[in-house]
């Protein structure tokens, strides 16, 4: 029986994989939180992975506090760069399959058309820089890896934009949301299923892939969709990013082109509204 190690098990993606795992009893699933697979302690991490001996690794663990990363650069780079390189090295040396999750924040946001996997990377914040270095280390240590870049992840688990909006719209009469950052959300359950579909597929095609739900929207439009589905009475206003300053800059356009993963793995990716409805069931 092949053993699948899921890092970041208590995060959004790890939690969704845990839900799906019962449908795939042919695998021995190991869901590791930060105590079982310690991404910020490389010496311990190396020991832990060698003890687990996975055949397949879903690296969902990451330092994701985008604004905090500006002041915790060393920690962000340890988790998002150095730990990834170490995991990829293990995978290479032990003939294990590795799917590593990355981000749209490796781009600078200056494009006006959907970003494919060949577009030049140019992160504009520390988090994005650390994730890009992780991608580079991953493919350097193990060229047979699969990297999936995703964006605007949300889920019934953990903290995310959708859950924050649901709470605020019930607490307040009016909220403002930035309307000049364009992309597409990713329902973590959809991405989790895609990762399993890749493992289950008859072919393994290494490299970088993009994945998010279909649709091109702003955060403001996303909030309006949440309001409609939840039938909230809260008024939603759109504001420019300049009215909502944050320590880390965000790319203003990070819509991902998904043609590569759809074609090579024959995927049917749902529209964001279709997946968002599942949050309200």
């Amino acid at each position: 029986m092949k053993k699948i190690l899921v890092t970041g098990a208590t995060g959004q993606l790890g939690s969704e994989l845990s839900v799906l795992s019962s449908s795939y009893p042919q695998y021995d699933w190991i869901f590791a939180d930060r105590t079982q697979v310690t991404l910020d302690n490389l010496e311990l991490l190396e020991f832990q992975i060698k003890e687990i001996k996975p055949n397949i690794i879903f690296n969902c663990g990451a330092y994701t506090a985008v604004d905090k990363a500006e002041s915790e650069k060393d920690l962000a780079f340890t988790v998002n760069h150095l730990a990834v390189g170490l995991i990829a090295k293990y995978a290479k040396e032990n003939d294990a399959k590795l799917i590593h999750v990355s981000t749209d924040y490796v781009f600078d946001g200056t494009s006006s058309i959907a970003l494919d996997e060949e577009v030049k990377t140019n992160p504009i914040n520390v988090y994005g820089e650390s994730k890009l270095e992780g991608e580079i280390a991953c493919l350097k240590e193990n060229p047979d890896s699969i990297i999936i870049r995703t964006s605007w992840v949300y889920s019934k688990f953990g903290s995310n934009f959708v859950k924050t909006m649901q709470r605020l719209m019930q607490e307040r009469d009016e909220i403002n949301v930035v309307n000049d950052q364009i992309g597409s959300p990713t329902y973590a359950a959809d991405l989790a299923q895609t990762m399993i579909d890749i493992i289950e597929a008859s072919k393994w095609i290494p490299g970088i892939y993009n994945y998010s739900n279909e649709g091109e929207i702003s955060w403001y439009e996303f909030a309006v969709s949440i309001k409609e589905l939840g039938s909230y009475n809260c008024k939603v206003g759109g504001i420019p990013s300049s009215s909502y300053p944050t320590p880390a800059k965000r790319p203003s356009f990070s819509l991902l082109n998904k043609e590569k993963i759809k074609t090579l793995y024959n995927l049917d990716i749902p529209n964001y509204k279709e997946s968002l409805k599942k949050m309200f069931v």
Side-chain angles (χ1 to χ4, degrees):
M1 183 182 282
K2 287 188 174 176
K3 189 182 288 185
I4 299 181
L5 168 63
V6 179
T7 70
T10 57
Q12 298 184 82
L13 195 49
S15 297
E16 295 288 6
L17 282 163
S18 182
V19 171
L20 291 171
S21 64
S22 59
S23 299
Y24 297 90
Q26 68 270 37
Y27 298 108
D28 178 14
W29 293 85
I30 309 292
F31 289 93
D33 63 19
R34 62 185 61 184
T35 62
Q36 296 156 302
V37 171
T38 313
L39 298 173
D40 59 356
N41 182 330
L42 301 179
E43 202 173 306
L44 182 57
L45 173 63
E46 188 171 14
F47 171 78
Q48 289 169 327
I49 292 183
K50 285 177 178 175
E51 283 288 294
I52 295 168
K53 297 185 177 66
N55 308 104
I56 298 162
I57 304 168
F58 289 159
N59 188 34
C60 308
Y63 181 105
T64 56
V66 177
D67 289 320
K68 220 172 170 185
E70 296 296 309
S71 57
E72 292 187 346
K73 186 171 181 177
D74 288 350
L75 180 56
F77 269 80
T78 298
V79 174
N80 293 343
H81 167 209
L82 300 177
V84 176
L86 193 152
I87 291 168
K89 188 169 185 279
Y90 169 89
K92 175 71 175 173
E93 291 172 351
N94 295 274
D95 199 26
K97 298 289 187 215
L98 170 61
I99 298 182
H100 169 64
V101 181
S102 192
T103 174
D104 60 320
Y105 278 32
V106 297
F107 300 111
D108 60 17
T110 58
S111 176
S112 57
I113 58 168
L115 301 148
D116 66 24
E117 292 81 359
E118 305 305 316
V119 171
K120 189 176 183 296
T121 52
N122 185 32
I124 55 174
N125 57 43
V126 170
Y127 168 70
E129 288 170 7
S130 69
K131 292 295 284 184
L132 177 58
E133 288 301 316
E135 288 185 6
I136 293 166
C138 184
L139 292 176
K140 181 185 174 189
E141 293 289 352
N142 183 14
D144 198 45
S145 302
I146 284 178
I147 294 172
I148 301 179
R149 290 175 179 154
T150 190
S151 61
W152 302 17
V153 178
Y154 70 95
S155 161
K156 289 179 181 176
F157 303 97
S159 303
N160 55 69
F161 181 80
V162 177
K163 287 170 80 171
T164 299
M165 289 297 109
Q166 288 175 316
R167 176 176 56 79
L168 291 177
M169 287 177 190
Q170 292 173 81
E171 291 174 358
R172 300 183 187 178
D173 297 326
E174 186 175 347
I175 58 170
N176 291 318
V177 182
V178 294
N179 59 10
D180 57 358
Q181 291 174 23
I182 307 298
S184 189
T186 304
Y187 185 41
D190 293 340
L191 177 53
Q193 184 63 61
T194 293
M195 293 167 75
I196 295 173
D197 288 346
I198 289 172
I199 289 296
E200 288 279 279
S202 58
K203 56 191 176 182
W204 177 267
I205 309 165
I208 297 173
Y209 294 85
N210 293 336
Y211 186 93
S212 68
N213 286 117
E214 298 286 16
E216 178 179 344
I217 56 169
S218 66
W219 287 105
Y220 162 75
E221 290 168 301
F222 194 20
V224 170
S225 296
I226 294 164
K227 176 189 170 177
E228 289 169 355
L229 280 170
S231 301
Y232 302 122
N233 292 320
C234 179
K235 184 182 174 186
V236 181
I239 57 169
S241 299
S242 56
S243 298
Y244 188 73
T246 53
K249 286 166 94 177
R250 265 67 170 175
S252 58
F253 185 93
S254 61
L255 180 67
L256 299 172
N257 179 322
K258 281 83 68 174
E259 286 309 309
K260 181 180 176 182
I261 199 166
K262 286 196 290 188
T263 303
L264 293 182
Y265 282 101
N266 195 28
L267 292 182
D268 182 23
I269 300 178
N271 181 272
Y272 84 93
K273 276 194 176 179
E274 194 182 316
S275 291
L276 183 59
K277 285 175 187 171
K278 295 170 189 171
M279 280 284 288
F280 289 85
V281 173

